């Protein structure tokens, strides 16, 4: 146990801890600017900001996502190639104006919808860059700890900002935006050393990435739709039930524990993707049925639902980052799809909530809409599960044909089954898989580096990472493990 804890501590390098701090800071800045309209006024709807700002934010977000996706699909956007300095400087400038210019003057001269468009354009880009820093994390445990701790830090930060006078809070947000400029530059330089190889985005790679994370994207998008629907319905119909804007500190702690326990369990079973296909429909089916009891349970219930939403969103982010790492894909394409899906579903949910709230017997309509949303999601999950099952069957047929028709010509082909077994069991990255094959053949770090077209120091870094995952400390132990 002591050795395992020591190995786990070694995984948390300064670069990965820095990525955690940067990601948590970005989430705090994005959340604070959205729910307070850059500090001009608090959100009247709870979960969403005022309608003009919110519509503008949706427009800006969709424009950013569309531009990023087009550049990615055309192969013009490389990993770590998205700019972030100008958006952060502009965010800081807006916060400084809000902090030191009377709010009445700002509201008269600047339309809230225009500020919303700026928010969508800027924060979307910065969010992609911040999330990209987490792709350099090889270990799933380290990644989930990063996401869980970032949720806790983000919640604590937003709680502190809420206690401060508006002027001071706006000035602090401006300082945070400026501080993120050098922090993100440092994070890119530090994480890139241990990250996946830089690749050019493209649709063939994106299809491989989506096969692994399409269900999580669908789950969080549907949850976004229902959250917006319930809150707008409550606002329009003057209902007492709304979904809380923030899970309290204990809610974030619960999410951190649940996420860590889930990932630890899922990584220890074969074909762990089935776990994700099962958990997302389960979470949504259970928690989205709870609005039926909203008038009875009130705010406690809204906190439970928001905690479930936070869990779903964080687990979806985990799946997206892991899928990009496994496929050797840059994050921009799938992140654009995820962000656009969530924003579109939120807007649809808000529109439905406004419509249902304006009708007679609106409660009946909103409950029916929630049930319909769940049914559509479950149907989509079944379709995805069926497609995943078929995709799992095809490689088996191909492998059998190869074994029968042609004798293996290389060490890797001869031991393909054992290689894939170890890759699945220890969750090895593609590069760590190549290093494992080299070590199993008794090769030195220099010869492995030459075969993989790497520097010797880079190959030694992969060997060290592989030793940690396998729980060994020398090459002979790798050979013995491979031959068992």
């Amino acid at each position: 146990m002591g050795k395992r804890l020591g190995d786990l501590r070694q995984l948390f390098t300064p670069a990965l801890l820095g990525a955690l701090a940067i990601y948590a800071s970005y989430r705090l800045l994005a959340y604070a600017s959205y729910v307070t309209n850059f500090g001009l006024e608090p959100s009247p709807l709870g979960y969403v900001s005022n309608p003009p700002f919110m519509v503008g934010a949706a427009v800006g977000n969709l424009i950013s996502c569309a531009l990023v996706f087009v550049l990615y699909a055309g192969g013009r956007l490389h990993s770590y190639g998205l700019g972030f300095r100008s958006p952060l400087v502009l965010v800081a400038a807006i916060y400084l104006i809000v902090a030191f210019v009377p709010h009445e003057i700002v509201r008269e001269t600047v339309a809230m919808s225009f500020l919303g468009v700026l928010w969508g354009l800027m924060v979307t880009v910065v969010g992609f860059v911040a999330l990209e820093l987490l792709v350099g994390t090889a270990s799933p445990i380290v990644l989930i700890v990063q996401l869980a701790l970032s949720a806790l830090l983000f919640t604590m930060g937003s709680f502190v900002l809420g206690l401060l006078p508006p002027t001071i809070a706006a000035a602090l947000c401006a300082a945070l935006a400026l501080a993120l400029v050098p922090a993100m530059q440092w994070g890119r330089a530090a994480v890139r050393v241990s990250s996946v190889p830089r690749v050019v985005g493209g649709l063939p790679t994106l299809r491989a990435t989506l096969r692994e994370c399409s269900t999580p994207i669908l789950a969080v998008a549907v949850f976004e739709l229902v959250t917006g629907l319930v809150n707008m319905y409550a606002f329009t119909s003057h209902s007492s039930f709304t979904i809380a804007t923030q899970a309290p500190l204990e809610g974030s702690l619960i999410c951190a524990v649940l996420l860590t326990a889930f990932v630890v369990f899922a990584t220890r079973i074969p074909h762990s993707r089935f776990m994700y296909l099962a958990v997302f429909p389960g979470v949504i089916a259970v928690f989205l049925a709870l609005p039926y009891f909203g008038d009875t349970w009130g705010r406690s219930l809204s906190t439970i639902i928001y905690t479930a939403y936070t869990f779903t969103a964080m687990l979806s982010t985990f799946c997206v980052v892991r899928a990009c790492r496994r496929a050797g894909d840059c994050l921009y394409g799938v992140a654009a799809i995820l962000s656009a899906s969530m924003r579109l579903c939120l807007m649809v949910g808000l529109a439905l909530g406004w419509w249902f709230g304006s009708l007679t017997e609106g409660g009946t309509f909103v409950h029916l809409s929630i049930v319909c949303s769940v049914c559509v999601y479950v149907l989509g999950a079944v379709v995805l599960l069926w497609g995943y099952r078929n995709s799992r069957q095809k490689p088996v047929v191909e492998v059998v044909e190869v074994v029968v028709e042609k004798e293996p010509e290389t060490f890797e082909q001869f031991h393909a089954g054992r290689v894939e077994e170890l890759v699945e069991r220890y969750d090895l990255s593609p590069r760590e898989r190549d290093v494992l094959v080299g070590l199993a053949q008794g090769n030195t770090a220099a010869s492995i580096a030459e075969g993989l077209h790497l520097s010797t120091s880079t190959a030694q870094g992969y060997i060290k990472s592989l030793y940690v995952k396998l729980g060994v400390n020398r090459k002979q132990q790798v050979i013995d493990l491979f031959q068992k």
Side-chain angles (χ1 to χ4, degrees):
M1 179 63 69
K3 183 180 182 300
R4 290 186 178 182
L5 290 176
D7 293 339
L8 187 61
R9 282 195 297 268
Q10 291 180 1
L11 291 175
F12 287 92
T13 62
L16 298 183
L17 292 175
L20 159 65
I22 294 169
Y23 183 68
S25 300
Y26 149 73
R27 291 190 64 194
L28 173 60
L29 183 68
Y31 178 82
S33 56
Y34 185 62
V35 300
T36 67
N37 311 152
F38 290 105
L40 280 176
E41 59 185 70
S43 166
L45 301 184
Y47 175 70
V48 292
S49 53
N50 67 71
F53 186 92
M54 175 185 58
V55 173
V59 172
N61 171 265
L62 294 175
I63 291 174
S64 292
C65 290
L67 291 175
V68 170
F69 186 81
V70 169
L71 292 174
Y72 166 88
R76 301 178 181 179
L77 196 58
H78 296 253
S79 294
Y80 306 107
L82 200 59
F84 57 89
R85 296 179 183 84
S86 297
L88 285 172
V89 170
L90 190 52
V91 169
I94 295 174
Y95 265 117
L96 288 175
I97 292 173
V98 171
F100 298 107
V101 177
H103 289 184
E104 292 75 16
I105 297 177
V106 176
R107 293 192 188 95
E108 290 175 0
T109 56
V110 180
M112 293 303 298
S113 56
F114 175 71
L115 280 182
V117 172
L118 289 180
W119 183 92
L121 290 171
M122 296 178 299
V123 176
T124 302
V125 172
V126 178
F128 291 170
V129 176
L131 188 60
E132 190 178 23
L133 298 180
L134 303 183
V135 180
T137 304
S139 169
I141 301 300
V142 173
L143 174 58
I144 206 63
V145 170
Q146 284 180 310
L147 291 171
L149 289 179
S150 72
L152 192 59
L153 293 174
F154 146 73
T155 306
M156 294 174 63
S158 60
F159 176 76
V160 171
L161 284 178
L163 298 177
L164 299 175
T167 300
I168 297 178
L172 285 177
C173 287
L176 179 60
L178 293 177
L180 279 175
V181 175
M184 284 190 171
Q185 184 65 33
W186 173 87
R188 279 185 165 182
V191 171
R192 195 180 303 180
V193 175
S194 59
S195 181
V196 294
R198 291 181 62 182
V199 295
V200 178
L203 294 181
T205 308
L206 179 64
R207 284 194 290 269
T209 308
L210 283 176
R211 277 198 297 269
E212 187 169 344
C213 60
S214 53
T215 298
I217 291 175
L218 178 62
V220 73
V222 170
F223 225 144
E224 194 84 22
L225 183 151
V226 179
T227 304
L229 187 155
V230 171
N231 275 5
M232 180 59 81
Y233 167 76
F235 174 77
T236 305
S237 62
H238 307 288
S239 171
S240 61
F241 176 73
T242 57
I243 298 178
T245 53
Q246 293 174 299
L249 293 182
E250 59 268 22
S252 293
L253 182 59
I254 292 171
C255 284
V257 173
L258 288 176
L259 284 165
T260 306
F262 176 82
V263 172
V264 169
F265 176 73
T267 54
R268 292 180 177 274
I269 64 174
H271 310 307
S272 59
R273 294 180 197 175
F274 284 107
M275 287 293 299
Y276 298 100
L277 288 168
V279 73
F280 286 116
V283 170
I284 288 184
V286 171
F287 286 100
L288 295 190
L290 295 178
Y292 286 102
F293 309 99
D295 293 333
T296 304
W297 293 355
R299 182 168 177 79
S300 298
L301 178 60
S302 71
T303 299
I304 293 174
I305 295 181
Y306 189 84
T307 302
Y309 166 76
T310 304
F311 174 83
T312 305
M314 291 174 63
L315 192 54
S316 298
T317 303
F318 171 83
C319 295
V320 166
V321 173
R322 292 291 293 165
C324 291
R325 173 115 193 157
R326 290 176 185 274
D329 188 14
C330 73
L331 186 81
Y332 301 136
V334 69
I337 292 176
L338 172 63
S339 181
S341 300
M342 293 176 64
R343 189 64 57 181
L344 282 172
C345 285
L346 174 62
M347 297 304 296
V348 170
L350 292 170
L352 289 175
W354 173 82
W355 183 55
F356 290 137
S358 62
L359 296 175
T360 307
E361 299 296 334
T364 302
F365 286 107
V366 74
H367 289 160
L368 287 175
S369 67
I370 292 173
V371 172
C372 291
S373 299
V374 173
C375 291
V376 170
Y377 170 70
V378 172
L379 177 62
V382 170
V383 173
L384 290 170
L385 177 60
W386 183 261
Y388 175 68
R389 176 187 175 188
N390 293 338
S391 69
R392 294 290 299 181
Q393 290 177 344
K394 291 178 182 178
V396 175
V397 177
E398 294 174 359
V399 170
V400 171
E401 291 176 355
V402 170
V403 171
V404 172
E405 296 178 4
K406 182 179 179 180
E407 287 191 12
E409 297 178 353
T410 65
F411 177 90
E412 182 176 355
Q413 289 174 328
F414 186 76
H415 295 285
R418 182 58 175 164
V419 170
E420 297 308 321
E421 179 185 351
L422 292 176
V423 168
E424 183 76 20
R425 179 186 303 175
Y426 295 101
D427 194 31
L428 304 181
S429 67
R431 186 61 76 190
E432 289 168 342
R433 177 189 183 280
D434 297 336
V435 172
L436 170 66
V437 173
L439 291 175
Q441 297 178 76
N443 295 333
T444 64
S447 60
I448 292 174
E450 182 179 356
L452 299 178
H453 305 290
L454 303 171
S455 66
T456 303
S457 60
T458 302
Q460 288 173 340
Y462 282 117
I463 291 173
K464 181 178 178 181
S465 174
L466 180 64
Y467 280 177
V468 171
K469 286 191 176 183
L470 299 181
V472 301
N473 52 30
R474 62 179 187 275
K475 181 169 62 178
Q476 185 58 47
Q477 290 178 311
V478 177
I479 296 174
D480 293 342
L481 179 64
F482 192 86
Q483 294 176 348
K484 285 183 179 179

